[in-house]
Amino acid sequence: MELLGRSHKLVIWFTVLLTLLSIILLAFYEYTHGDVLSLTDQGTVTVTGDVPHIISINIKPESRIPPTGNDQLSLVVEIRSPGSVIPITSINTIANATGDASLGTIPASALPPGIYDVAIKGLSHLRKVYPNENFDGPVIKNYTLSLPQLPAGDANPTEDNYVNSLDISYITLHVYGNDIRADLTRDGIINSLDYAALLRNLSSYGDN
Ligand SMILES: [Ca+2]
Ligand SMILES: [Ca+2]
């Protein structure tokens, strides 16, 4: 009986040790493969990376009417070395109604795992740069950035990344029409609300 009891105890202790070991291994896996968020990051844009980099972003254009489910926007997304304005790769994509856009698959040979800046210029919007994004794979990571919504107003086709009288002139040219560049609010008509959206950023430059 004593021998049987000892065997049971051994089995129980072995099970406990195995469970503890599993928990430790799982915790280590989560630590090394789970989400890593910068302390300075918070807010509105999400970037997901992988190797080969499978990157998706979520953007939020400002001044939309209605404000939700109306986030469609043509985007040019550049991935740059930190602090550089020269794109390593440039991707044209379109954000859907909820602001989601895919950058497709970028081979690790074209974008070695590391830290990069992500620059986003939306149609009729000022460019925003989201710095120091970590695309080091090989697992998917989510990043939430601290920069605000994409500012509207750069409506003129010169796309000079600056909101001024040229952009006002372009909206005026299309008033009561439905030109997509001039329709900053994306409510289907060019009117005073589009001027109001532009005036929020009058004389503002986008990021380089
Ligand atoms: Ca402009
Ligand atoms: Ca409008």
Side-chain angles (χ1 to χ4, degrees):
M1 286 298 288
E2 177 62 25
L3 188 61
L4 193 62
R6 189 174 295 172
S7 297
H8 279 144
K9 283 177 184 175
L10 280 173
V11 168
I12 289 165
W13 275 113
F14 180 73
T15 306
V16 168
L17 283 172
L18 200 61
T19 305
L20 283 172
L21 187 63
S22 300
I23 290 169
I24 290 166
L25 283 174
L26 273 172
F28 180 73
Y29 182 87
E30 287 292 318
Y31 176 76
T32 53
H33 294 75
D35 290 350
V36 181
L37 295 178
S38 163
L39 291 176
T40 59
D41 288 347
Q42 51 180 312
T44 56
V45 172
T46 304
V47 179
T48 304
D50 199 353
V51 171
H53 308 280
I54 302 169
I55 303 172
S56 62
I57 60 173
N58 181 266
I59 55 100
K60 182 65 188 169
E62 69 175 16
S63 299
R64 291 299 173 91
I65 300 172
T68 57
N70 188 24
D71 296 334
Q72 299 93 337
L73 187 61
S74 293
L75 305 169
V76 178
V77 181
E78 295 178 356
I79 299 179
R80 307 166 167 178
S81 294
S84 171
V85 297
I86 300 169
I88 294 170
T89 184
S90 180
I91 300 130
N92 291 283
T93 186
I94 299 174
N96 66 14
T98 53
D100 295 316
S102 169
L103 305 191
T105 300
I106 304 170
S109 57
L111 194 70
I115 308 292
Y116 296 96
D117 291 351
V118 178
I120 302 176
K121 175 98 169 64
L123 187 79
S124 304
H125 289 67
L126 297 174
R127 182 182 297 109
K128 297 300 290 186
V129 174
Y130 301 86
N132 300 321
E133 288 311 302
N134 191 358
F135 297 138
D136 65 355
V139 296
I140 291 172
K141 294 182 178 180
N142 295 309
Y143 300 89
T144 306
L145 310 185
S146 61
L147 294 180
Q149 299 174 339
L150 296 180
D154 190 18
N156 194 287
T158 55
E159 297 185 334
D160 56 3
N161 202 29
Y162 177 51
V163 179
N164 68 357
S165 59
L166 288 177
D167 301 299
I168 295 175
S169 299
Y170 188 81
I171 287 182
T172 303
L173 191 66
H174 293 280
V175 78
Y176 298 130
N178 62 359
D179 181 84
I180 200 162
R181 283 185 175 278
D183 187 11
L184 300 178
T185 59
R186 293 294 177 96
D187 56 356
I189 188 166
I190 320 303
N191 60 17
S192 62
L193 298 174
D194 299 295
Y195 285 102
L198 183 149
L199 291 173
R200 284 180 66 169
N201 299 311
L202 187 63
S203 300
S204 294
Y205 286 94
D207 296 336
N208 285 323

